[in-house]
DNA sequence: GCTCAAACCTTACAGCGTAAGCCTGATTTC
DNA sequence: GAAATCAGGCTTACGCTGTAAGGTTTGAGC
């Protein structure tokens, strides 16, 4: 089967001297070769630049200067690669905790770190949001946040409950702020501004405060309500 | 009229007596013919039954007893169909408001209605969550919630802010409760329970409270914190 | 120089959304 | 009653997707 049995015995496809995109052949085992880290970084860069829909194995291979299937040598399938992107992203949510901060300040910083992470990769966050964090890094992150609450003196049950409630808020907020970036190639045409102005007065009046300029303030007041509410729940208890 | 007209006179492709799946030919213009409503309902049923990934035009056509392309006669593309599903779902979030309820009770009921809607179609909600509600029904729904806050005496700015904050919470909560249903065909293997027990003590201790049995209580306490916080913000203001 | 495994490439396949065009039966019009 | 129109389907085909299967190159170790 090794014999080509066709007139084009040597010239494979187009030009025999076609230069490899991957610079020189000798670099394969070197720094420029593929690796899990380089693949994940390129994938995230591609998503950041062109959106989630642009991330296909072929397109990513193009970006890396290799064929699509070469990626499968480092990740068994695309789902594993996506998990690596989630981990990559989650690493950017980490905030160094100063020892003098109390639990409220720690929660506040962690929350802002999470939001900053989402805003750094707005096109990827919607994917992040709908996938459970069950990688090791994800579990470690969750454990850390719960630890803040436990060290503050909350019970296991309280820590679990308040962790979730804050997580709900953070996920929803980041999703809302990044939703515009995630849309696929096409969707139905939106309702026109004129229609809103005529038929939906409440929304029309509130619309200015839905602009990105207000995102930060909205996020912060809601977060403070939650933290204050959590604190208050403990004071009312003991 | 019940004559099957079985031997197709032209016999185009394979077997001349191939019976149409769509029962009788005469039913085309009748109640069993396609319509936007029937297509959307079948699509939602399919997603409920087999998950988001199962919803393809071909599969849906199979479900409806027609070819995939027939759907395009009623929806210009799949994005429009998905928008119809969003509207269909959103209709189930509506709650009849009693006049004697104050704004807190109204918000509470609306929030529970939203959650119930998500839980009725857990496999579809993750799609719902990452798409903006810019259909007419979606805009009307938003307008209604903002109206509750405006009628309660909040300013446009406050109404916009609190609407969003509650929306963040609701989206995140519903997403978390439904996330397990949305996963595609395959994903990376999760972290084992033994690993969690050994390395992540806080999470292991909190794990019992992450079970579905606690979802409702967690949701409610968080919601009450938000509503109380919103109420408190007004009292501190005037 | 030979062997071998890792790293990468080629080919192929089933399934996706959908553009383009065809066919058919019911309704409308004369 | 016959012809014309047209909504409501069907068929085919195209470029895309993830990935299974197997072939080819490369450098290291002997």
């Amino acid at each position: 089967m090794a014999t080509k049995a066709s007139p084009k015995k040597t010239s494979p496809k187009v030009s025999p001297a076609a230069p490899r995109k991957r610079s020189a052949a000798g670099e394969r085992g070197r720094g420029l070769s593929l690796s899990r880290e380089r693949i994940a970084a390129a994938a995230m860069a591609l998503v950041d630049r062109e959106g989630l829909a642009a991330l296909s194995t072929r397109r990513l291979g193009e970006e890396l200067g290799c064929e699509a299937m070469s990626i499968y040598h480092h990740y068994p399938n695309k789902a594993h690669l996506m998990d690596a992107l989630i981990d990559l992203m989650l690493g950017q949510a980490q905030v160094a905790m100063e020892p003098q901060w109390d639990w409220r300040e720690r929660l506040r910083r962690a929350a802002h770190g999470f939001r900053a992470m989402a805003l750094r990769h707005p096109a990827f966050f919607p994917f992040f949001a709908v996938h459970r964090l069950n990688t090791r890094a994800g579990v470690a992150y969750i454990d850390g946040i719960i630890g803040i609450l436990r060290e503050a003196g909350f019970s296991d049950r309280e820590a679990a409950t308040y962790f979730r409630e804050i997580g709900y808020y953070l996920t929803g907020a980041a999703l809302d702020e990044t939703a515009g970036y995630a849309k696929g190639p096409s969707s139905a045409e939106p309702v026109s501004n004129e229609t809103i102005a005529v038929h939906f007065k409440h929304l029309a009046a509130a619309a200015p405060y839905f602009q990105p300029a207000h995102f930060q303030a909205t996020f912060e007041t809601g977060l403070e309500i939650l933290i204050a509410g959590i604190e208050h729940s403990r004071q009312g208890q003991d």
Side-chain angles (χ1 to χ4, degrees), chain A:
Chain A
M1 184 50 82
T3 61
K4 286 280 183 73
S6 89
K8 40 188 287 188
K9 51 173 61 174
T10 50
S11 70
K13 273 289 168 289
V14 219
S15 81
R20 287 296 170 93
K21 282 179 192 167
R22 205 186 52 252
S23 53
E27 280 173 342
R28 214 182 230 176
R30 293 267 161 49
L32 262 187
S33 70
L34 292 183
S35 70
R36 288 176 61 89
E37 290 70 27
R38 194 164 88 88
I39 292 171
M44 186 63 94
L46 179 58
V47 172
D48 287 343
R49 196 163 6 98
E50 304 184 23
L52 246 188
L55 178 55
S56 72
T57 53
R58 281 172 242 261
R59 184 77 177 76
L60 180 56
E62 207 173 287
E63 210 75 13
L64 288 162
C66 72
E67 294 301 311
M69 292 308 292
S70 303
I71 295 163
Y72 285 80
H73 209 87
H74 302 266
Y75 291 98
N77 54 46
K78 202 187 178 187
H80 275 74
L81 169 59
M82 298 311 272
D83 270 5
L85 293 191
I86 288 179
D87 273 11
L88 185 66
M89 199 173 175
L90 197 60
Q92 303 182 346
Q94 313 281 351
V95 177
M97 292 291 168
E98 301 288 335
Q100 72 272 18
W101 293 343
D102 71 347
W103 66 271
R104 288 188 256 83
E105 183 64 15
R106 285 167 185 259
L107 279 188
R108 194 156 23 227
R109 301 276 183 152
H112 279 96
F114 186 90
R115 176 169 180 258
M117 167 206 80
L119 296 184
R120 213 182 295 187
H121 305 286
F124 186 71
F125 186 78
F127 182 90
F128 181 101
V130 303
H131 285 77
R132 288 236 156 90
L133 261 51
N134 47 16
T135 64
R136 193 175 176 101
V139 167
Y141 179 79
I142 294 172
D143 193 75
I145 305 290
I146 297 176
I148 293 175
L149 287 159
R150 288 290 287 126
E151 285 164 19
F154 289 101
S155 68
D156 282 328
R157 178 187 201 128
E158 288 167 327
T161 302
Y162 297 142
F163 164 77
R164 289 223 124 158
E165 290 165 357
I166 291 178
Y168 293 168
Y169 182 78
L170 294 181
T171 303
L175 200 50
D176 192 76
E177 293 192 34
T178 62
Y181 294 87
K183 303 294 282 287
S186 72
S187 178
E189 68 286 345
V191 179
S192 74
N193 284 337
E194 301 91 74
T195 304
I196 292 177
V198 172
H199 293 97
F200 305 107
K201 301 287 192 189
H202 295 313
L203 176 55
Y209 306 104
F210 283 173
Q211 294 307 113
H214 291 268
F215 283 172
Q216 170 104 18
T218 299
F219 176 81
E220 284 179 0
T221 62
L223 179 62
E224 294 306 323
I225 286 176
L226 280 174
I227 293 178
I230 292 171
E231 182 174 13
H232 187 256
S233 82
R234 178 160 64 172
Q235 290 173 341
Q237 164 185 290
D238 53 22

